[in-house]
Every structure is written in structure tokens, then in C-alpha cells.
Amino acid sequence: MCTDRLRAPGSAHVGRVLAIGAVLAAPVSAQAPLTGINADTEVGAIAFEFVESASFRGGTLRRVIALTDPSSASQVDRILATLRLGRELPPHPFNPVELQRDVVRLRRFYERSGFIGPVVDYRVAFDEPQNLVDVTFVIDEGRPVTVASLRAVWHDGPVPDDLR
């Protein structure tokens, strides 16, 4: 083992970069890997489960994530597919890497929305005969930022009464 290389200038930076890369590459969820999932596996349903409170509705959270399910198809597409007028519902492929990215997207969404320490996890249920997965995002929003006081100052002095 060459220890000189580890002590070279800048090696601490390289070590930190490698450590950060290892953390980002690690799976976000502790769920065991699913067997049988392949390139043709599609998303059957997406749901959101909340540990305590739910500040956002599913529709808002669906706009944050990249994975889609049949419920995300437009009403016109669903009607035409039901009537079989030459239109089929668009595919909803399942991508495990995109699922991991969606977890990060949701966590960052909550952080930008003023929540401290949100935790986002997921559960995946695989229906092998149908080749469909149901994804449930489990969200603990964390603590919301509390504003203790707010002071507004008008550029020319006190805030006018009609704006107060």
C-alpha cells in the first residue's frame, strides 16, 4: 500500500469527493433489491404516505417527481384509450435510478418549502405477472421553519395603512 499518495497535497480533497460520491451512489432506501424487474416493467400506481402531517397534496408532489403512473394521463387520453379510438395510454416505465432521484427531488422540495430535516423513503410492491410496480413515497416532513416576527419597512418610511 502506498501511503505517500494518500498524503499528497490535495489528497484530502480527493478523499472528500470520493466519500461524497459513495454517499450519493448509495441507495436511499433500505428496501431489499427487487428481483424480476426489467426494462419492460411499468409503474402501476404512485402514492404518498405521511408519517405525521401532510402540508402538500399528491397533485403538487406528483409535479415534483419524474416517475408517472396511469393516473397522470390526461382525461382525453383516458377516454380515447377506453373507447379504443386509436390511442393508447402512454407508457409509464419504471426506472429505479429515477426513483432514487425522485426521493432527492422530494426532499429538496420540502427543504425549499421551509421544512427542516425532511425524510423521504419509499416502498415498492412488484406484481410479477402484470410486470407492474406500485410505488409509495413515505414522507416525514420534518419541522417547519417558524417565523417569530416579521417587520416590513417601506422605502420612504413606515408602511402605509392600506398596505399594512
Side-chain angles (χ1 to χ4, degrees), residues 133-151:
V133 295
D134 291 340
V135 178
T136 302
F137 290 98
V138 182
I139 300 171
D140 181 355
E141 295 180 333
R143 291 181 309 138
V145 172
T146 305
V147 178
S149 66
L150 179 65
R151 181 174 171 236

Side-chain angles (χ1 to χ4, degrees), residues 94-112:
F94 175 68
N95 182 335
V97 174
E98 207 59 56
L99 174 61
Q100 297 293 318
R101 290 180 181 149
D102 282 343
V103 168
V104 174
R105 287 181 189 107
L106 286 167
R107 187 175 63 235
R108 288 182 179 162
F109 169 78
Y110 274 94
E111 288 169 347
R112 284 190 312 271

Side-chain angles (χ1 to χ4, degrees), residues 51-105:
V51 174
E52 287 186 23
S53 61
S55 299
F56 301 99
R57 293 185 175 185
T60 301
L61 298 177
R62 284 175 190 276
R63 288 191 291 274
V64 174
I65 62 175
L67 288 179
T68 60
D69 64 356
S71 71
S72 64
S74 72
Q75 190 171 9
V76 171
D77 284 336
R78 277 188 246 146
I79 291 169
L80 293 176
T82 302
L83 297 174
R84 303 201 190 288
L85 295 177
R87 260 189 164 163
E88 290 187 20
L89 288 177
H92 303 282
F94 175 68
N95 182 335
V97 174
E98 207 59 56
L99 174 61
Q100 297 293 318
R101 290 180 181 149
D102 282 343
V103 168
V104 174
R105 287 181 189 107

